[in-house]
Amino acid sequence: DWAASGGPDGSSFSLTGFNFVANAADDTPVLFRAQDEFGASGGAFEGDWISDGVAEFNAWIRHDAGIPLTFFARFASPFNFPGATAIEFAMVPSDSWTLISFAIDPNSPQFTSFEGMDFETVFSNIGHIQIGISVPDGLAGMDQRFTFGIDNPTIVPEPASLVLMLCGGFGCAYRRKQSSSRGAPHVSGS
């Protein structure tokens, strides 16, 4: 879903709901995803990140779970394998927009897995990005719906010719800085 206002800069953002009733502690549900086959962001995040000099992936995150949460990102090929999983060490507090950042560097301590491959194999052909959380003990099995928001995902350096707002597959809402007479963007589920 998307909200017309309330993002970190006051503009629109994407959101999804999640219920932890079926999750145990340390499960890693994916909340947001961008997939090349859905046309997420018009291809802005697809391709060879090594040749393109991508050094960082960032996104603004917000949730209302009531406790700080650990977020992760998974970067994968268009076939969704191999992939690389990275952890954001700074926990995201509840009810506050927080910038999460992942260094795209083979020596980054944030990476916990390359799924049996290596940095070069994964980042030479990016087609999927997933953002999720590690379920804490306090939310495991809880039958309550919580809301998660994401806004302004970017790669650094940012290609000058691309608008990196991930309309579509990632679920990020179209920036409503243009005419408010436009209809709501197509947003796929999490």
Side-chain angles (χ1 to χ4, degrees):
D1 202 0
W2 70 283
S5 63
D9 62 358
S11 64
S12 62
F13 65 97
S14 286
L15 58 124
T16 191
F18 193 80
N19 187 318
F20 294 95
V21 70
N23 291 102
D26 299 323
D27 281 356
T28 54
V30 170
L31 303 170
F32 299 98
R33 63 183 78 234
Q35 296 178 210
D36 60 339
E37 60 266 32
F38 293 157
S41 77
F45 291 91
E46 297 172 29
D48 185 342
W49 284 18
I50 296 171
S51 294
D52 292 341
V54 175
E56 196 172 86
F57 174 84
N58 303 306
W60 287 92
I61 300 290
R62 182 182 175 130
H63 67 87
D64 64 0
I67 60 174
L69 297 176
T70 300
F71 279 77
F72 70 87
R74 182 176 178 271
F75 308 94
S77 77
F79 304 104
N80 207 32
F81 181 83
T85 302
I87 305 251
E88 171 56 76
F89 295 127
M91 295 182 78
V92 175
S94 186
D95 300 311
S96 176
W97 283 107
T98 303
L99 184 65
I100 61 172
S101 183
F102 301 95
I104 307 303
D105 180 317
N107 299 314
S108 171
Q110 290 181 291
F111 285 109
T112 61
S113 170
F114 290 104
E115 299 175 2
M117 297 294 178
D118 56 37
F119 178 87
E120 289 76 20
T121 302
V122 173
F123 286 96
S124 65
N125 188 20
I126 294 295
H128 290 188
I129 302 172
Q130 301 166 329
I131 306 287
I133 63 161
S134 177
V135 177
D137 290 335
L139 295 178
M142 183 178 284
D143 189 7
Q144 180 178 341
R145 181 182 163 91
F146 296 99
T147 302
F148 295 84
I150 188 169
D151 197 22
N152 293 325
T154 58
I155 54 177
V156 178
E158 190 171 340
S161 64
L162 299 176
V163 178
L164 302 176
M165 290 186 240
L166 295 175
C167 292
F170 206 103
C172 287
Y174 180 77
R175 291 280 173 198
R176 304 287 294 195
K177 291 180 183 177
Q178 280 117 14
S179 170
S180 62
S181 64
R182 289 186 168 179
H186 168 73
V187 178
S188 72
S190 59

